[in-house]
């Protein structure tokens, strides 16, 4: 996963759920500046932060990473490792 896929995924999920970054921060128990830094690609999130964001979005970490760009890479890795 490259550096801009996580911020884009967060943007897409908040848009789909019609929630603001401020609301996501509250739900995730993170600061709004932390979320903004991740979305603006100023900071890479830790796994712990991703788990909190997933909690705020009410999805599992598995669901967070289950999206087309990431899935294509997983399939490519599996097919080349045979």
């Amino acid at each position: 996963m490259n550096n801009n896929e996580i911020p884009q995924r967060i943007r897409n999920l908040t848009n789909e759920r019609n929630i603001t970054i401020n609301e996501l921060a509250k739900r995730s128990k993170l600061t709004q500046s932390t979320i903004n830094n991740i979305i603006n690609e100023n900071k890479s999130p830790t796994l712990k932060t991703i788990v909190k964001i997933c909690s705020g979005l009410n999805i599992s970490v598995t669901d967070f990473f289950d999206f087309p760009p990431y899935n294509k890479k997983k399939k490519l890795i599996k097919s080349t490792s045979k």
Side-chain angles (χ1 to χ4, degrees), residues 7 10-11 14 21 34-43:
I10 294 169
R11 281 190 289 272
T14 54
I21 297 306
T34 297
I35 304 281
N36 281 331
N37 280 329
I38 294 166
I39 289 176
N40 294 327
E41 301 178 30
N42 297 326
K43 181 179 179 182

Side-chain angles (χ1 to χ4, degrees), residues 36-71:
N36 281 331
N37 280 329
I38 294 166
I39 289 176
N40 294 327
E41 301 178 30
N42 297 326
K43 181 179 179 182
S44 295
T46 63
L47 180 57
K48 185 176 179 178
T49 300
I50 290 173
V51 170
K52 287 182 177 185
I53 290 170
C54 290
S55 176
L57 292 167
N58 200 30
I59 62 171
S60 70
V61 174
T62 302
D63 288 338
F64 182 84
F65 289 105
D66 187 23
F67 64 107
Y70 186 66
N71 290 340

Side-chain angles (χ1 to χ4, degrees), residues 1-13:
M1 172 168 280
N2 68 37
N3 289 341
N4 67 347
E5 289 175 341
I6 290 176
Q8 187 58 50
R9 181 72 169 146
I10 294 169
R11 281 190 289 272
N12 290 346
L13 289 166

